[in-house]
Amino acid sequence: MFKNAIEGIYQSTPDGRYLVVNAALARMYGYAGPEELLSDVSDIQNQIYVDRSFREKFKRQIEETGFVRGLEYQVRRRDGNIIWISENARAVRDAAGAIHHYEGFIENITERKNAEAERAKLEKQMLHSQKMDAIGTLAGGMAHDFNNILCAIIGYTELTLTNSQIKGVTRDNLEMVLKSADRARDLIKRILTFSRPTDSQQRPLKLSLVLNEAVKLLHATLPSSITIQTSIRTEEDVVVADATEMHQMIMNLGTNAGHAMKSKGGRLEFELETVDVDSGLAASLGLPAGAYVRLIARDTGQGMSQEVMERIFEPFFTTKAPGRGTGLGLTLVQKIITRGGGHVKVNSEEGRGTTFHVYLPKSQELPAPATTDKNQILQGQREQILVVDDEIPVLDMMQQYLRKMGYRVITRADSLEAMKTFRTDAENIALVITDHTMPDMQGAELAEVMGAIRPDLPVILMTGLNQPPDLSASRYASRRAVFQKPINFVMLSHCLRGFLDHANGND
């Protein structure tokens, strides 16, 4: 039984020498046979144990109870590879009660431990996914009401600031209100990123252009004790991505680096290059092999411990003091990069700084030619617009803003009342702007009913929802547009003129 057992069996002395071992234990530890193991191993603690403290734990436990049961630890084979074992052993004592030797059974449990580690990894990934889903649910639930509130705050503030008589401290205060509201709008957009994968405008863009713009802003926002260096080593840096998201991703990496260096200052380096990812590296990154644009963000800050590194992409995890951060920055970075088919890898060491490697698939398609920036509100020509929204503050603000833009405006706070108004005056209404989420009849349905009466009618839907309505199946899709609240009135003015000038034959 001793010779043919599949478990390792041994006797050893308390000072760390084997007295006898069977063939199974010799094979388990990588030796040709028992004789080779007995001759080569003279110090079990230093030659076999990976963590030598487990030898002391083993001896202490066997001294106290006379046995060990199911003790799991790692051992080093003759070839240097590490395996997991489970040991059951007892102490054999002499006539005086002193321990003469140990004898026990050893089982190789490496496969089980690897399976447990893989299961723990999958459970961690599932937990991370559940957290992301929870944020998406939270964002979807709050987005509509929150965006309606922001729509009113930003709209009224912008309207008031158009009054040239508002000066001095009052104007400064209102501008601060507008800046704060813009920060709130940015925050809700960041949260909505987790639940609105179709919202971003994915198109070919040169990452170097976005990097240079972001670095300019970082120069203005980070303290002068932090120097920023940029090295662009490629001209072939086109990726398919959303420019705003790429800017946000770089800013988040930069501001996190700035936080890590704020006490002592330091250096932040950005490097941009094109790399060919071979099959080996691709497998470790979880990416297909091929050409990638790699952005490296390296800082000389305080670095991170292994425990912190394992959690940096978790939603709401932050090492910053309360009120100093939301814990969403790096979570957002990971979300943006993985959405674009890329990967982010981080290396860090406490006291030695942190390096992020961002891999994004290189695009063969070139960016579209740049167009003139449309940053001016286009004025109306006294056309009559029907505005429908069940939020009275939003309705009143839209009426004031559109009238200031040069339109005649009819407002209705109820979709059924709006339908009655339209039926009685359909030919004189040039365009309809309606909220999508309303009682009785949603905006998309209202647009369809109105389209059946006047197929040429342009309708703009406003929505505060995280997922805008899909109008692609509508017969009137070419005469429809969707705007996310809070409304950007510059973009709205261009959309209005696009629809109305086309109807008037002025395009």
PDB file of all heavy atoms in Angstrom, residues 1 18 29 33 61 74 78 89 112 157 175 190 210 227-228 248 252 279 304 365 426 481:
ATOM      1  N   MET A   1       0.833  -1.206   0.000  1.00  0.00           N
ATOM      2  CA  MET A   1       0.000   0.000   0.000  1.00  0.00           C
ATOM      3  C   MET A   1       0.871   1.261   0.000  1.00  0.00           C
ATOM      4  O   MET A   1       0.570   2.238  -0.688  1.00  0.00           O
ATOM      5  CB  MET A   1      -0.928   0.013   1.222  1.00  0.00           C
ATOM      6  CG  MET A   1      -2.057  -1.032   1.159  1.00  0.00           C
ATOM      7  SD  MET A   1      -3.038  -1.042   2.671  1.00  0.00           S
ATOM      8  CE  MET A   1      -3.738   0.591   2.597  1.00  0.00           C
ATOM      9  N   TYR A  18      13.748  14.089   5.726  1.00  0.00           N
ATOM     10  CA  TYR A  18      12.860  12.966   5.437  1.00  0.00           C
ATOM     11  C   TYR A  18      13.536  11.672   5.888  1.00  0.00           C
ATOM     12  O   TYR A  18      14.729  11.446   5.616  1.00  0.00           O
ATOM     13  CB  TYR A  18      12.542  12.882   3.949  1.00  0.00           C
ATOM     14  CG  TYR A  18      11.530  13.912   3.489  1.00  0.00           C
ATOM     15  CD1 TYR A  18      11.875  14.883   2.553  1.00  0.00           C
ATOM     16  CD2 TYR A  18      10.229  13.887   3.979  1.00  0.00           C
ATOM     17  CE1 TYR A  18      10.956  15.829   2.129  1.00  0.00           C
ATOM     18  CE2 TYR A  18       9.303  14.834   3.565  1.00  0.00           C
ATOM     19  CZ  TYR A  18       9.665  15.806   2.649  1.00  0.00           C
ATOM     20  OH  TYR A  18       8.759  16.729   2.236  1.00  0.00           O
ATOM     21  N   TYR A  29       6.840  15.843  -6.125  1.00  0.00           N
ATOM     22  CA  TYR A  29       7.832  16.885  -5.946  1.00  0.00           C
ATOM     23  C   TYR A  29       8.850  16.947  -7.092  1.00  0.00           C
ATOM     24  O   TYR A  29       9.798  17.724  -7.042  1.00  0.00           O
ATOM     25  CB  TYR A  29       8.574  16.679  -4.632  1.00  0.00           C
ATOM     26  CG  TYR A  29       7.750  17.036  -3.399  1.00  0.00           C
ATOM     27  CD1 TYR A  29       8.249  16.842  -2.114  1.00  0.00           C
ATOM     28  CD2 TYR A  29       6.469  17.583  -3.516  1.00  0.00           C
ATOM     29  CE1 TYR A  29       7.497  17.179  -0.979  1.00  0.00           C
ATOM     30  CE2 TYR A  29       5.718  17.906  -2.412  1.00  0.00           C
ATOM     31  CZ  TYR A  29       6.235  17.701  -1.143  1.00  0.00           C
ATOM     32  OH  TYR A  29       5.490  18.033  -0.037  1.00  0.00           O
ATOM     33  N   GLY A  33      12.648   9.249  -8.046  1.00  0.00           N
ATOM     34  CA  GLY A  33      12.224   8.202  -7.119  1.00  0.00           C
ATOM     35  C   GLY A  33      12.501   8.609  -5.693  1.00  0.00           C
ATOM     36  O   GLY A  33      13.110   9.665  -5.419  1.00  0.00           O
ATOM     37  N   GLN A  61       1.281  23.635  15.485  1.00  0.00           N
ATOM     38  CA  GLN A  61      -0.022  22.971  15.602  1.00  0.00           C
ATOM     39  C   GLN A  61       0.130  21.511  16.034  1.00  0.00           C
ATOM     40  O   GLN A  61      -0.643  21.014  16.845  1.00  0.00           O
ATOM     41  CB  GLN A  61      -0.757  23.062  14.255  1.00  0.00           C
ATOM     42  CG  GLN A  61      -2.194  22.540  14.299  1.00  0.00           C
ATOM     43  CD  GLN A  61      -2.926  22.823  12.986  1.00  0.00           C
ATOM     44  OE1 GLN A  61      -2.589  23.751  12.271  1.00  0.00           O
ATOM     45  NE2 GLN A  61      -3.932  22.011  12.698  1.00  0.00           N
ATOM     46  N   GLN A  74       1.713  26.038  -0.236  1.00  0.00           N
ATOM     47  CA  GLN A  74       2.429  25.852  -1.496  1.00  0.00           C
ATOM     48  C   GLN A  74       3.820  25.279  -1.244  1.00  0.00           C
ATOM     49  O   GLN A  74       4.482  25.657  -0.271  1.00  0.00           O
ATOM     50  CB  GLN A  74       2.555  27.177  -2.245  1.00  0.00           C
ATOM     51  CG  GLN A  74       1.232  27.706  -2.802  1.00  0.00           C
ATOM     52  CD  GLN A  74       1.410  29.041  -3.494  1.00  0.00           C
ATOM     53  OE1 GLN A  74       1.924  29.984  -2.904  1.00  0.00           O
ATOM     54  NE2 GLN A  74       0.984  29.132  -4.737  1.00  0.00           N
ATOM     55  N   ARG A  78      11.159  20.224  -7.681  1.00  0.00           N
ATOM     56  CA  ARG A  78      12.581  20.222  -8.034  1.00  0.00           C
ATOM     57  C   ARG A  78      12.868  21.133  -9.225  1.00  0.00           C
ATOM     58  O   ARG A  78      13.922  21.796  -9.289  1.00  0.00           O
ATOM     59  CB  ARG A  78      13.012  18.788  -8.366  1.00  0.00           C
ATOM     60  CG  ARG A  78      14.512  18.656  -8.602  1.00  0.00           C
ATOM     61  CD  ARG A  78      14.874  17.266  -9.060  1.00  0.00           C
ATOM     62  NE  ARG A  78      16.312  17.077  -9.150  1.00  0.00           N
ATOM     63  CZ  ARG A  78      16.901  16.013  -9.669  1.00  0.00           C
ATOM     64  NH1 ARG A  78      16.159  15.025 -10.142  1.00  0.00           N
ATOM     65  NH2 ARG A  78      18.220  15.917  -9.715  1.00  0.00           N
ATOM     66  N   ALA A  89      -1.214  14.961   9.002  1.00  0.00           N
ATOM     67  CA  ALA A  89      -0.046  14.356   9.638  1.00  0.00           C
ATOM     68  C   ALA A  89      -0.277  14.229  11.141  1.00  0.00           C
ATOM     69  O   ALA A  89      -1.152  14.885  11.715  1.00  0.00           O
ATOM     70  CB  ALA A  89       1.205  15.196   9.363  1.00  0.00           C
ATOM     71  N   ARG A 112      -7.512  21.964  -8.021  1.00  0.00           N
ATOM     72  CA  ARG A 112      -8.640  22.517  -7.272  1.00  0.00           C
ATOM     73  C   ARG A 112      -8.395  23.978  -6.907  1.00  0.00           C
ATOM     74  O   ARG A 112      -9.297  24.820  -7.033  1.00  0.00           O
ATOM     75  CB  ARG A 112      -8.887  21.698  -6.004  1.00  0.00           C
ATOM     76  CG  ARG A 112      -9.941  22.333  -5.081  1.00  0.00           C
ATOM     77  CD  ARG A 112     -10.397  21.373  -3.999  1.00  0.00           C
ATOM     78  NE  ARG A 112      -9.379  21.087  -3.022  1.00  0.00           N
ATOM     79  CZ  ARG A 112      -9.065  21.901  -1.999  1.00  0.00           C
ATOM     80  NH1 ARG A 112      -9.675  23.057  -1.859  1.00  0.00           N
ATOM     81  NH2 ARG A 112      -8.140  21.547  -1.124  1.00  0.00           N
ATOM     82  N   THR A 157     -30.816  80.774 -16.844  1.00  0.00           N
ATOM     83  CA  THR A 157     -29.575  81.508 -16.578  1.00  0.00           C
ATOM     84  C   THR A 157     -29.010  82.083 -17.866  1.00  0.00           C
ATOM     85  O   THR A 157     -28.584  83.253 -17.909  1.00  0.00           O
ATOM     86  CB  THR A 157     -28.543  80.585 -15.909  1.00  0.00           C
ATOM     87  OG1 THR A 157     -29.124  79.973 -14.750  1.00  0.00           O
ATOM     88  CG2 THR A 157     -27.314  81.371 -15.484  1.00  0.00           C
ATOM     89  N   GLU A 175     -23.010  83.716 -13.750  1.00  0.00           N
ATOM     90  CA  GLU A 175     -22.048  82.903 -14.500  1.00  0.00           C
ATOM     91  C   GLU A 175     -21.553  81.723 -13.669  1.00  0.00           C
ATOM     92  O   GLU A 175     -21.316  80.633 -14.198  1.00  0.00           O
ATOM     93  CB  GLU A 175     -20.873  83.780 -14.960  1.00  0.00           C
ATOM     94  CG  GLU A 175     -21.261  84.726 -16.096  1.00  0.00           C
ATOM     95  CD  GLU A 175     -20.128  85.651 -16.503  1.00  0.00           C
ATOM     96  OE1 GLU A 175     -19.134  85.724 -15.751  1.00  0.00           O
ATOM     97  OE2 GLU A 175     -20.256  86.304 -17.565  1.00  0.00           O
ATOM     98  N   ARG A 190     -21.625  61.580 -17.278  1.00  0.00           N
ATOM     99  CA  ARG A 190     -20.649  60.557 -16.899  1.00  0.00           C
ATOM    100  C   ARG A 190     -21.356  59.340 -16.327  1.00  0.00           C
ATOM    101  O   ARG A 190     -20.999  58.204 -16.625  1.00  0.00           O
ATOM    102  CB  ARG A 190     -19.670  61.138 -15.881  1.00  0.00           C
ATOM    103  CG  ARG A 190     -18.688  62.124 -16.478  1.00  0.00           C
ATOM    104  CD  ARG A 190     -17.950  62.897 -15.407  1.00  0.00           C
ATOM    105  NE  ARG A 190     -17.108  62.022 -14.602  1.00  0.00           N
ATOM    106  CZ  ARG A 190     -16.445  62.443 -13.525  1.00  0.00           C
ATOM    107  NH1 ARG A 190     -16.557  63.696 -13.127  1.00  0.00           N
ATOM    108  NH2 ARG A 190     -15.693  61.605 -12.853  1.00  0.00           N
ATOM    109  N   VAL A 210      -6.780  65.245 -30.029  1.00  0.00           N
ATOM    110  CA  VAL A 210      -7.516  65.252 -28.763  1.00  0.00           C
ATOM    111  C   VAL A 210      -6.532  65.347 -27.601  1.00  0.00           C
ATOM    112  O   VAL A 210      -6.760  66.075 -26.629  1.00  0.00           O
ATOM    113  CB  VAL A 210      -8.379  63.978 -28.635  1.00  0.00           C
ATOM    114  CG1 VAL A 210      -9.168  63.996 -27.329  1.00  0.00           C
ATOM    115  CG2 VAL A 210      -9.326  63.850 -29.822  1.00  0.00           C
ATOM    116  N   THR A 227       5.059  69.182 -13.965  1.00  0.00           N
ATOM    117  CA  THR A 227       5.406  69.427 -15.362  1.00  0.00           C
ATOM    118  C   THR A 227       4.751  68.352 -16.235  1.00  0.00           C
ATOM    119  O   THR A 227       4.644  67.194 -15.832  1.00  0.00           O
ATOM    120  CB  THR A 227       6.925  69.392 -15.571  1.00  0.00           C
ATOM    121  OG1 THR A 227       7.427  68.100 -15.190  1.00  0.00           O
ATOM    122  CG2 THR A 227       7.603  70.452 -14.735  1.00  0.00           C
ATOM    123  N   ILE A 228       4.315  68.766 -17.416  1.00  0.00           N
ATOM    124  CA  ILE A 228       3.644  67.850 -18.343  1.00  0.00           C
ATOM    125  C   ILE A 228       4.461  67.767 -19.621  1.00  0.00           C
ATOM    126  O   ILE A 228       4.787  68.796 -20.225  1.00  0.00           O
ATOM    127  CB  ILE A 228       2.213  68.318 -18.663  1.00  0.00           C
ATOM    128  CG1 ILE A 228       1.407  68.538 -17.365  1.00  0.00           C
ATOM    129  CG2 ILE A 228       1.502  67.299 -19.550  1.00  0.00           C
ATOM    130  CD1 ILE A 228       0.024  69.103 -17.591  1.00  0.00           C
ATOM    131  N   GLN A 248     -12.353  63.200 -22.343  1.00  0.00           N
ATOM    132  CA  GLN A 248     -12.698  62.911 -20.956  1.00  0.00           C
ATOM    133  C   GLN A 248     -11.765  61.858 -20.366  1.00  0.00           C
ATOM    134  O   GLN A 248     -11.324  61.954 -19.221  1.00  0.00           O
ATOM    135  CB  GLN A 248     -14.152  62.435 -20.909  1.00  0.00           C
ATOM    136  CG  GLN A 248     -14.828  62.566 -19.572  1.00  0.00           C
ATOM    137  CD  GLN A 248     -16.318  62.365 -19.701  1.00  0.00           C
ATOM    138  OE1 GLN A 248     -16.781  61.534 -20.474  1.00  0.00           O
ATOM    139  NE2 GLN A 248     -17.095  63.106 -18.936  1.00  0.00           N
ATOM    140  N   ASN A 252      -9.258  62.505 -17.252  1.00  0.00           N
ATOM    141  CA  ASN A 252      -9.360  61.711 -16.026  1.00  0.00           C
ATOM    142  C   ASN A 252      -8.008  61.113 -15.645  1.00  0.00           C
ATOM    143  O   ASN A 252      -7.622  61.098 -14.467  1.00  0.00           O
ATOM    144  CB  ASN A 252     -10.396  60.606 -16.192  1.00  0.00           C
ATOM    145  CG  ASN A 252     -11.804  61.090 -15.909  1.00  0.00           C
ATOM    146  OD1 ASN A 252     -12.026  61.883 -15.005  1.00  0.00           O
ATOM    147  ND2 ASN A 252     -12.773  60.624 -16.682  1.00  0.00           N
ATOM    148  N   SER A 279       0.247  37.791 -30.899  1.00  0.00           N
ATOM    149  CA  SER A 279      -0.739  36.881 -30.297  1.00  0.00           C
ATOM    150  C   SER A 279      -0.508  36.705 -28.801  1.00  0.00           C
ATOM    151  O   SER A 279      -1.463  36.588 -28.022  1.00  0.00           O
ATOM    152  CB  SER A 279      -0.710  35.526 -30.999  1.00  0.00           C
ATOM    153  OG  SER A 279       0.596  34.966 -30.956  1.00  0.00           O
ATOM    154  N   MET A 304       0.567  53.154  -6.056  1.00  0.00           N
ATOM    155  CA  MET A 304      -0.541  52.458  -5.411  1.00  0.00           C
ATOM    156  C   MET A 304      -0.089  51.101  -4.897  1.00  0.00           C
ATOM    157  O   MET A 304       0.790  50.465  -5.487  1.00  0.00           O
ATOM    158  CB  MET A 304      -1.691  52.234  -6.414  1.00  0.00           C
ATOM    159  CG  MET A 304      -2.377  53.490  -6.890  1.00  0.00           C
ATOM    160  SD  MET A 304      -3.681  53.121  -8.087  1.00  0.00           S
ATOM    161  CE  MET A 304      -2.720  52.813  -9.556  1.00  0.00           C
ATOM    162  N   GLU A 365      -9.637  53.876 -41.664  1.00  0.00           N
ATOM    163  CA  GLU A 365     -10.462  54.947 -42.219  1.00  0.00           C
ATOM    164  C   GLU A 365      -9.961  56.294 -41.718  1.00  0.00           C
ATOM    165  O   GLU A 365      -9.641  56.450 -40.532  1.00  0.00           O
ATOM    166  CB  GLU A 365     -11.919  54.736 -41.804  1.00  0.00           C
ATOM    167  CG  GLU A 365     -12.901  55.685 -42.468  1.00  0.00           C
ATOM    168  CD  GLU A 365     -14.333  55.407 -42.035  1.00  0.00           C
ATOM    169  OE1 GLU A 365     -14.557  54.398 -41.335  1.00  0.00           O
ATOM    170  OE2 GLU A 365     -15.216  56.212 -42.383  1.00  0.00           O
ATOM    171  N   ALA A 426     -53.254  73.477 -38.026  1.00  0.00           N
ATOM    172  CA  ALA A 426     -52.139  72.685 -38.532  1.00  0.00           C
ATOM    173  C   ALA A 426     -51.336  73.412 -39.603  1.00  0.00           C
ATOM    174  O   ALA A 426     -50.099  73.338 -39.626  1.00  0.00           O
ATOM    175  CB  ALA A 426     -52.635  71.348 -39.072  1.00  0.00           C
ATOM    176  N   ALA A 481     -36.063  64.895 -35.347  1.00  0.00           N
ATOM    177  CA  ALA A 481     -34.772  65.022 -34.676  1.00  0.00           C
ATOM    178  C   ALA A 481     -34.995  64.832 -33.182  1.00  0.00           C
ATOM    179  O   ALA A 481     -36.087  65.086 -32.671  1.00  0.00           O
ATOM    180  CB  ALA A 481     -34.140  66.383 -34.955  1.00  0.00           C
TER     181      ALA A 481
END
